[in-house]
Amino acid sequence: MKIEPRLPTDRQRRCLCEMLYFALIEIRALNWEGKTQQAADLADAFHNLPIDMWLNDFSFEFFRDSFIAVYQQKYPGERSRDYVAMIDDISKMKG
């Protein structure tokens, strides 16, 4: 199912912020564990989200495929959350 670029709803933005919160906690934990490259890659995957989620042409698919999925493919099984599933769930939300 193709999801057209659009401004996320308030509810979706709240959930995107929660997802970013979890990613920041994971970045901190990765650094404590000495996994600095993985922490940097996770930060790189999320760093545009706070600005992009306010754009009228925000694309859940582009964010997922270009950043989140790339991170998860690089670190299969080495992360605390399935961010791809989270973004898919958020993109399907109504209102």
Side-chain angles (χ1 to χ4, degrees):
M1 176 173 96
K2 183 158 177 59
I3 302 164
E4 294 299 319
R6 61 183 161 74
L7 181 67
T9 65
D10 287 342
R11 181 177 175 212
Q12 287 172 320
R13 280 195 299 266
R14 280 192 300 274
C15 291
L16 289 168
C17 286
E18 183 177 86
M19 187 171 68
L20 177 57
Y21 166 78
F22 290 128
L24 289 169
I25 290 171
E26 187 170 351
I27 290 166
R28 186 174 60 192
L30 289 167
N31 275 308
W32 286 339
E33 296 169 12
K35 298 178 180 180
T36 56
Q37 185 58 57
Q38 185 176 353
D41 290 341
L42 184 54
D44 190 49
F46 276 91
H47 79 276
N48 286 320
L49 182 61
I51 291 179
D52 288 355
M53 75 169 109
W54 293 94
L55 300 176
N56 288 326
D57 62 349
F58 177 77
S59 170
F60 286 96
E61 284 182 324
F62 181 78
F63 175 62
R64 181 194 64 219
D65 296 344
S66 299
F67 302 106
I68 305 305
V70 171
Y71 168 76
Q72 288 194 187
Q73 289 167 1
K74 187 171 181 179
Y75 299 99
E78 297 179 50
R79 59 191 191 288
S80 64
R81 298 192 181 270
D82 184 348
Y83 296 109
V84 169
M86 291 173 79
I87 194 73
D88 286 344
D89 290 344
I90 295 167
S91 71
K92 295 172 190 169
M93 289 179 173
K94 304 289 184 206

